[in-house]
């Protein structure tokens, strides 16, 4: 009986947090984002976002997916693993970066949970499907001072410690070639790659540990938009 009560409580708690995260994201979009006269871009009220949370430093949007979220700069011991964009405790967390100078560094990494409810970065696993990959091969990142186009050139799943060991001694150019070698898809006409953004979330492909030590990595060329 006690186990059933605990399980029921956990399910209810998860559902409430899911609803809170989903509803607050929808309200945030309605409150701070408007369509631009240029259909390729959106207008974001950065002053309003900063009033909500000064850690909000960007926005990521992948068309025709649920990935349409603010990006948080996390300088407080992985706070946004368990807190939403408004700083409130929530197991769904937020999309965040640990980079000191996001989008100015050669490589910027964005993290988000792979949630069973479909929120945050859960849809990244769909990039393992070739058709989905080609249909969603680019996305936008918006910041207060600069907007970016991200064009994906690699996606794969691997063990997180193995990934870190493989790239830790590489130059940026060698790192780019490493990412290219990890992808099973044919990617053409990428041109010179000067900066990249790397999306990371938990993977359960060929996983043998709990919690999983596997990660999905989606790697994209980052270019400024005029």
């Amino acid at each position: 009986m006690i186990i059933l009560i605990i399980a029921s409580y956990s399910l209810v708690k998860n559902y409430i947090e899911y609803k809170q995260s989903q509803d607050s994201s929808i309200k945030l979009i309605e409150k701070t984002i408007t369509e631009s006269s240029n259909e390729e871009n959106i207008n974001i009220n950065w002053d309003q976002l900063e009033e909500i949370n000064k850690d909000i430093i960007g926005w990521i949007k992948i068309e025709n997916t649920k990935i349409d979220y603010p990006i948080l700069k996390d300088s407080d011991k992985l706070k946004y693993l368990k807190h939403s964009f408004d700083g409130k405790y929530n197991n769904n967390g937020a999309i965040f970066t640990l980079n000191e100078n996001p989008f100015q560094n050669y490589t910027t990494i964005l993290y988000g949970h792979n949630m069973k409810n479909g929120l945050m970065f859960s849809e990244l696993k769909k990039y393992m499907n070739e058709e989905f990959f080609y249909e969603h091969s680019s996305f936008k990142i918006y910041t207060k001072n600069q907007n970016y186009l991200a064009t994906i050139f690699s996606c794969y799943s691997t063990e997180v410690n193995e990934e870190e060991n493989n790239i830790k001694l590489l130059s940026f150019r060698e790192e780019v070639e490493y990412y290219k070698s990890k992808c099973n898809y044919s990617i053409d006409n990428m041109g010179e790659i000067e900066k990249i953004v790397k999306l990371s979330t938990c993977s359960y492909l060929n996983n043998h540990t709990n919690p999983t030590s596997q990660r999905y990595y989606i790697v994209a060329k980052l270019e400024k938009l005029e």
Side-chain angles (χ1 to χ4, degrees):
M1 177 63 74
I2 293 175
I3 293 175
L4 287 175
I5 292 172
I6 292 173
S8 298
Y9 171 78
S10 179
L11 287 172
V12 170
K13 182 174 180 291
N14 288 341
Y15 176 75
I16 291 173
E17 289 185 344
Y18 159 74
K19 284 293 292 177
Q20 288 173 338
S21 183
Q22 183 184 50
D23 292 347
S24 59
S25 292
I26 292 172
K27 289 178 182 177
L28 186 68
I29 291 171
E30 293 174 345
K31 189 176 181 180
T32 62
I33 294 180
T34 57
E35 294 299 322
S36 169
S37 57
N38 178 354
E39 293 182 0
E40 294 296 315
N41 294 316
I42 57 177
N43 293 319
I44 299 176
N45 188 331
W46 293 105
D47 291 337
Q48 202 162 26
L49 287 177
E50 287 178 6
E51 286 181 9
I52 294 170
N53 190 337
K54 292 186 182 299
D55 288 340
I56 298 175
I57 52 90
W59 198 283
I60 180 171
K61 182 177 178 65
I62 303 181
E63 293 289 348
N64 301 314
T65 74
K66 294 179 182 178
I67 299 175
D68 191 1
Y69 297 113
I71 300 168
L72 285 293
K73 184 177 178 180
D74 194 330
S75 53
D76 188 19
K77 298 180 180 178
L78 301 177
K79 172 181 178 178
Y80 294 106
L81 278 175
K82 295 292 184 179
H83 289 79
S84 59
F85 66 85
D86 54 10
K88 295 179 181 177
Y89 185 88
N90 191 304
N91 277 313
N92 292 282
I95 305 305
F96 66 93
T97 180
L98 299 175
N99 281 71
E100 185 64 30
N101 299 294
F103 315 116
Q104 302 305 309
N105 301 122
Y106 283 119
T107 302
T108 298
I109 305 178
L110 302 183
Y111 302 92
H113 284 306
N114 181 358
M115 304 300 295
K116 291 181 180 179
N117 57 33
L119 296 181
M120 299 305 130
F121 271 173
S122 62
E123 288 191 273
L124 292 187
K125 59 179 174 289
K126 293 182 179 179
Y127 278 100
M128 299 303 105
N129 176 281
E130 188 171 5
E131 182 177 355
F132 183 91
F133 176 90
Y134 288 118
E135 289 178 354
H136 302 80
S137 59
S138 66
F139 57 91
K140 301 284 182 59
I141 290 176
Y142 303 92
T143 70
K144 186 175 184 177
N145 298 315
Q146 181 66 58
N147 298 331
Y148 299 90
L149 172 67
T151 306
I152 300 169
F153 64 91
S154 183
C155 64
Y156 55 97
S157 174
T158 193
E159 203 272 333
V160 64
N161 290 330
E162 180 180 336
E163 177 77 353
E164 291 174 357
N165 287 332
N166 285 340
I167 66 175
K168 66 181 180 182
L169 298 179
L170 301 181
S171 68
F172 176 70
R173 300 301 172 198
E174 292 170 334
E175 192 176 332
V176 169
E177 292 305 313
Y178 165 80
Y179 295 136
K180 289 179 178 179
S181 72
K182 296 290 287 185
C183 187
N184 293 324
Y185 306 140
S186 176
I187 312 297
D188 298 319
N189 303 318
M190 288 303 298
E192 187 73 14
I193 298 176
E194 297 180 355
K195 290 182 181 179
I196 61 176
V197 59
K198 185 177 182 181
L199 313 183
S200 173
T201 194
C202 288
S203 167
Y204 297 93
L205 285 177
N206 304 315
N207 181 60
H208 304 292
T209 62
N210 187 19
T212 178
S213 61
Q214 298 283 317
R215 298 291 184 271
Y216 289 113
Y217 294 112
I218 311 301
V219 189
K221 175 182 179 180
L222 195 66
E223 300 174 280
K224 291 181 179 179
L225 283 172
E226 299 299 329

